[in-house]
Amino acid sequence: MSSSDLTVVAAGVTLHETIAAAEILARDGIAIRIIDPFTVKPLDRKLIADNARQTHGRILVVEDHYIEGGLGDAVAGELAEEPGLSIVKMGITEIPHSGEPEELLDRYGVSARHIAERVRRMIAAQIGRAHV
């Protein structure tokens, strides 16, 4: 693996979960670049695209609310015309329920362990395509 295997864009609580996921992944020799966009508008298109190109064109966007209309859509919209980039969005896909924050992050698949697993799958898929 390279010095950075994947770019992850996250904000708020999912930024903290992504940092925890980076620690989990580091134990396996996987390094991720983490971008906190600070704002959705304006979004730093160049920063995200440049980092993605240095991580094999892979971007994972993690958010703690519905995928539709969120950070992932903003990133995808900004980078739509950038060749060679692959964007995967993680977020809430069902009506949320009440619970403890840690339980909810895990239940809806945006906890550190879920982020780490998605990163592993994205890297494995890329490696699989490289050997075809």
XYZ file of all heavy atoms in Angstrom, residues 63-68 90-96 104-105 108-110:
146
model
N -21.206 10.841 6.515
C -22.036 11.851 7.171
C -23.034 11.189 8.111
O -23.385 10.027 7.935
C -22.731 12.734 6.154
C -23.442 12.012 5.031
C -23.741 12.950 3.882
O -24.174 14.091 4.128
O -23.532 12.545 2.736
N -23.495 11.950 9.098
C -24.362 11.386 10.136
C -25.828 11.777 9.945
O -26.577 11.911 10.897
C -23.878 11.798 11.525
C -23.950 13.284 11.761
O -23.974 14.053 10.774
O -23.979 13.695 12.940
N -26.221 11.963 8.705
C -27.618 12.245 8.381
C -27.916 11.619 7.024
O -27.078 10.911 6.476
C -27.898 13.754 8.383
C -26.920 14.543 7.583
N -26.984 14.644 6.220
C -25.817 15.231 7.963
C -25.983 15.387 5.801
N -25.257 15.743 6.827
N -29.096 11.884 6.502
C -29.461 11.279 5.228
C -28.418 11.557 4.154
O -27.886 12.659 4.061
C -30.816 11.792 4.739
C -31.978 11.211 5.492
C -32.737 12.009 6.332
C -32.304 9.869 5.372
C -33.807 11.481 7.038
C -33.369 9.335 6.073
C -34.114 10.145 6.900
O -35.167 9.613 7.594
N -28.165 10.539 3.336
C -27.202 10.663 2.255
C -27.674 11.694 1.227
O -26.881 12.488 0.725
C -26.967 9.290 1.584
C -26.182 8.394 2.532
C -26.256 9.443 0.261
C -25.968 6.995 2.005
N -28.962 11.710 0.941
C -29.496 12.607 -0.078
C -29.389 14.052 0.387
O -29.836 14.408 1.462
C -30.957 12.284 -0.396
C -31.174 10.919 -0.990
C -31.263 9.808 0.058
O -31.323 10.095 1.268
O -31.257 8.636 -0.346
N -21.338 7.322 2.576
C -21.871 6.613 3.737
C -22.731 7.601 4.514
O -22.310 8.728 4.753
C -20.748 6.139 4.674
C -19.913 5.005 4.177
S -18.646 4.526 5.388
C -19.650 3.686 6.628
N -23.905 7.167 4.929
C -24.777 8.028 5.716
C -26.020 7.259 6.118
O -26.096 6.043 5.958
N -26.978 7.976 6.606
C -28.207 7.372 7.101
C -29.135 7.078 5.913
O -29.355 7.927 5.064
C -28.907 8.312 8.104
C -27.924 8.789 9.187
C -30.131 7.633 8.714
C -27.199 7.698 9.936
N -29.654 5.855 5.883
C -30.512 5.444 4.769
C -31.909 5.019 5.219
O -32.675 4.522 4.415
C -29.861 4.281 3.999
O -29.646 3.190 4.905
C -28.545 4.699 3.367
N -32.212 5.215 6.499
C -33.546 4.875 6.994
C -33.981 5.895 8.036
O -33.173 6.714 8.476
C -33.553 3.464 7.594
C -32.607 3.299 8.770
C -32.562 1.887 9.306
O -31.758 1.093 8.806
O -33.343 1.599 10.228
N -35.223 5.852 8.433
C -35.728 6.793 9.429
C -35.013 6.531 10.748
O -35.018 5.405 11.259
C -37.252 6.640 9.606
C -37.953 6.995 8.296
C -37.759 7.502 10.759
C -39.433 6.728 8.291
N -34.365 7.560 11.305
C -33.604 7.363 12.547
C -34.505 7.170 13.764
O -35.668 7.571 13.763
C -32.769 8.634 12.668
C -33.411 9.629 11.781
C -34.212 8.899 10.764
N -26.344 4.635 18.125
C -26.931 5.106 16.870
C -25.901 5.133 15.750
O -26.198 4.734 14.617
C -27.554 6.489 17.063
C -28.759 6.523 18.008
C -29.199 7.958 18.255
C -29.907 5.683 17.470
N -24.687 5.589 16.048
C -23.637 5.597 15.030
C -23.385 4.185 14.522
O -23.218 3.965 13.320
C -22.352 6.206 15.589
C -22.398 7.707 15.861
C -21.177 8.142 16.671
C -22.477 8.485 14.558
N -26.569 2.722 12.478
C -26.754 3.282 11.145
C -25.497 3.219 10.286
O -25.457 3.775 9.192
C -27.300 4.707 11.236
C -28.670 4.700 11.878
C -28.880 5.228 13.139
C -29.741 4.097 11.224
C -30.123 5.176 13.729
C -30.996 4.039 11.812
C -31.185 4.583 13.066
O -32.425 4.512 13.657
N -24.492 2.499 10.767
C -23.334 2.188 9.937
C -22.333 3.297 9.723
O -21.609 3.276 8.732
N -22.263 4.263 10.632
C -21.291 5.345 10.480
C -20.355 5.444 11.684
O -19.766 6.487 11.929
C -21.980 6.704 10.183
C -22.611 6.692 8.803
C -22.981 7.079 11.255
